[in-house]
Amino acid sequence: MIAYFQQHQPRVLFAHAYERRVHAKLDSDYVSGAYLLDPFHALHVEKAPEDLYQLREIAPDQFQRNEYFAAYYQQTTLIDEIAFVGYPADGVSVHICLGRDAMSRRRFSVRDVATARRLAPIVCGMIRQRWSDLRSSGDDYSDQALVERLTENLLTTHGIKLSPRQAEIALLILRGHSSVSIGLRLEISSQTVKVFRKQLYRKCSISSQAELFSLIMPLLSESASHKPR
């Protein structure tokens, strides 16, 4: 059970797993900054309606081929995940996540998901009641704000000056979006995305997504701990 806020790092409300690897890096990696690349956190940013969500339905098209998946998510051994998403207060969402890990060796069945979906209104109502005392900063949190902090940190730390569009595309690449998916989100052609990607790699003096991840991830951690002025 995890709470997401506007400009605060998430708060783990409860965690339990028989397989220790599931939560081994929850505090050290996920809460410290990796959550900014997570499909479930994207639901918070987008203010998705209260409901049940399944990872395979919301993940970007190349999620399982990106560095976040390899460096963090795959290490949890999770093979399937669903989450009830509720909003107990302004700027706060609480996700009750259920996962199938290496010990179970099977995904949630169609019946499992259907049952959970029927329970979603009840669970989301309980989220609103149980965690109504949680508070956020109230400041507007968006990917645009994250992109602004990322470009600032890149310039300050590495002397790399990216345009807002290049930084936006870098973030989407790290989240697991293909050029086609990025183009659809930004309403530009996939060829234009590829041009921006080449410019991005050239400015950063890199040639792979792995190098982009190594460069950007520490800066995301800095952005995650950003305190409003």
Side-chain angles (χ1 to χ4, degrees):
M1 300 180 186
I2 188 166
Y4 295 112
F5 303 91
Q6 295 293 78
Q7 287 188 341
H8 298 287
Q9 291 173 312
R11 183 190 306 172
V12 177
L13 305 172
F14 176 81
H16 173 74
Y18 291 108
E19 168 57 70
R20 66 174 185 82
R21 288 175 291 176
V22 173
H23 297 137
K25 296 184 177 182
L26 183 60
D27 291 322
S28 62
D29 290 17
Y30 187 82
V31 171
S32 68
Y35 72 92
L36 292 167
L37 303 178
D38 188 89
F40 284 112
H41 178 257
L43 297 176
H44 169 79
V45 176
E46 296 165 3
K47 298 180 175 64
E50 289 189 332
D51 205 345
L52 177 83
Y53 294 88
Q54 190 168 18
L55 179 63
R56 71 176 77 173
E57 296 176 346
I58 64 170
D61 57 345
Q62 291 191 353
F63 177 68
Q64 293 190 359
R65 297 173 59 185
N66 74 351
E67 288 301 313
Y68 164 73
F69 182 84
Y72 176 77
Y73 198 87
Q74 194 170 39
Q75 306 308 310
T76 68
T77 80
L78 288 171
I79 58 175
D80 202 3
E81 189 173 7
I82 59 177
F84 298 98
V85 178
Y87 297 88
D90 289 342
V92 181
S93 69
V94 170
H95 295 202
I96 297 180
C97 306
L98 307 173
R100 288 278 171 80
D101 58 32
M103 292 185 69
S104 65
R105 297 181 181 178
R106 60 192 178 97
R107 297 178 180 273
F108 290 108
S109 68
V110 173
R111 172 181 277 186
D112 292 334
V113 176
T115 300
R117 204 172 298 281
R118 288 196 299 272
L119 292 172
I122 298 171
V123 177
C124 291
M126 294 175 68
I127 287 174
R128 291 194 300 272
Q129 182 180 51
R130 172 63 181 84
W131 287 291
S132 61
D133 60 332
L134 292 178
R135 293 292 178 266
S136 188
S137 65
D139 300 311
D140 181 37
Y141 183 92
S142 64
D143 276 351
Q144 182 179 354
L146 178 59
V147 165
E148 289 174 358
R149 294 200 298 273
L150 182 57
T151 53
E152 181 181 336
N153 289 341
L154 265 172
L155 183 59
T156 302
T157 306
H158 298 290
I160 298 172
K161 186 176 182 180
L162 296 183
S163 69
R165 181 64 92 191
Q166 289 166 345
E168 187 176 23
I169 287 175
L171 193 59
L172 290 171
I173 290 171
L174 293 179
R175 285 176 175 166
H177 289 275
S178 67
S179 294
V180 172
S181 177
I182 293 172
L184 290 172
R185 289 178 67 91
L186 302 183
E187 298 182 340
I188 59 178
S189 73
S190 59
Q191 291 303 314
T192 301
V193 173
K194 291 177 181 178
V195 171
F196 277 114
R197 186 169 186 154
K198 288 180 181 178
Q199 294 172 346
L200 166 67
Y201 279 26
R202 184 169 61 250
K203 281 189 176 181
C204 295
S205 300
I206 59 175
S207 59
S208 68
Q209 186 189 132
E211 291 177 295
L212 181 66
F213 182 84
S214 297
L215 176 69
I216 298 294
M217 197 62 237
L219 303 181
L220 284 180
S221 297
E222 291 180 26
S223 297
S225 60
H226 168 83
K227 301 299 181 184
R229 296 183 178 85

